[in-house]
Amino acid sequence: MDIKIRFISIMVLFGILLLDPSCKKLCVPASYSFRINNCMIQPDKDSINIGDTLYFNSVFSTTMINLTDGKNIDYSSADNMGDILGVGELIGQNTISDAVKYFSYIPMVGKIYTDSSVDPFRVKQTSYSEENGYYILKFGIVPQKSGIYIFSIADMPDVVRKCARSSIIMQFSSSINNHLYYLKDIYYGGGPIIYSGDPTHTYSFKVK
């Protein structure tokens, strides 16, 4: 083989293979898509009092099913397994005001924190803890002001593990009542829910 051709072939190979700094081995970049649909808020009452505590709970295995081919994928030791929690007050039709400041937050497992560079009045950042083959996030949320509120969770578009990347669809469990009638009556003015993600990504409730 011509030396120039051989050199180009080697460079192409190294362009495809990335070096994993944690184990000093070459690995092939991979891309996955997962779905987690067990996020919970408890108790799932439609109204609570100022000072009551709601508990956010999300636990899922580090081995997940890739949506593209149905294979089980070990996705342990991810670098950035975390999400955001949107916190808003339903004010009127098409109007949600920032409401992070109307709650206090009690970390239990994993982290809930503020990143001043990412809409700190509207969202809290979360980070999962990895324990015994599971990713776990638990925290308490205590309202300080009466009103009608909405919590929203987002999908994770780019979770990195070594030289693999994944997108993760995050959803509330279908076993909880997320009180969509508050969203429908106030934000949508009594009309139909327009955004298809509302039933799976939002949770509404009243604070008395």
Side-chain angles (χ1 to χ4, degrees), residues 53-64:
T53 303
L54 293 172
Y55 294 94
F56 182 97
N57 185 14
S58 176
V59 181
F60 56 92
S61 174
T62 57
T63 298
M64 294 176 274

Side-chain angles (χ1 to χ4, degrees), residues 13-76:
L13 175 63
F14 275 85
I16 296 173
L17 298 178
L18 295 179
L19 184 63
D20 176 8
S22 64
C23 60
K24 307 302 181 183
K25 294 180 180 179
L26 293 174
C27 60
V28 180
S31 179
Y32 305 108
S33 295
F34 305 119
R35 184 192 310 274
I36 303 300
N37 55 7
N38 67 351
C39 297
M40 306 279 286
I41 290 183
Q42 297 170 314
D44 61 344
K45 298 177 180 179
D46 73 339
S47 63
I48 61 174
N49 296 313
I50 292 175
D52 289 348
T53 303
L54 293 172
Y55 294 94
F56 182 97
N57 185 14
S58 176
V59 181
F60 56 92
S61 174
T62 57
T63 298
M64 294 176 274
I65 298 174
N66 185 24
L67 297 178
T68 58
D69 59 15
K71 293 182 179 179
N72 287 326
I73 304 297
D74 175 10
Y75 217 74
S76 57

Side-chain angles (χ1 to χ4, degrees), residues 180-199:
L180 288 173
Y181 42 83
Y182 285 131
L183 188 65
K184 178 180 178 181
D185 292 345
I186 300 173
Y187 185 78
Y188 290 112
I193 288 177
I194 297 173
Y195 175 52
S196 61
D198 286 337

Side-chain angles (χ1 to χ4, degrees), residues 35-40 60 169-175 200:
R35 184 192 310 274
I36 303 300
N37 55 7
N38 67 351
C39 297
M40 306 279 286
F60 56 92
I169 299 170
M170 299 298 295
Q171 298 178 335
F172 281 113
S173 170
S174 60
S175 68
T200 55

Side-chain angles (χ1 to χ4, degrees), residues 1 6 12 37 43 69-70 80 89 93 186:
M1 181 185 294
R6 181 180 297 176
V12 169
N37 55 7
D69 59 15
N80 58 332
E89 184 176 6
Q93 190 167 358
I186 300 173

Side-chain angles (χ1 to χ4, degrees), residues 99-136:
V100 163
K101 64 183 178 181
Y102 298 140
F103 294 83
S104 57
Y105 306 87
I106 306 168
M108 300 170 72
V109 183
K111 298 178 181 179
I112 180 165
Y113 61 97
T114 296
D115 183 341
S116 60
S117 67
V118 186
D119 248 341
F121 304 108
R122 184 173 298 180
V123 301
K124 298 289 284 187
Q125 310 294 316
T126 63
S127 178
Y128 282 74
S129 174
E130 184 176 348
E131 301 178 11
N132 301 317
Y134 289 90
Y135 287 112
I136 305 173

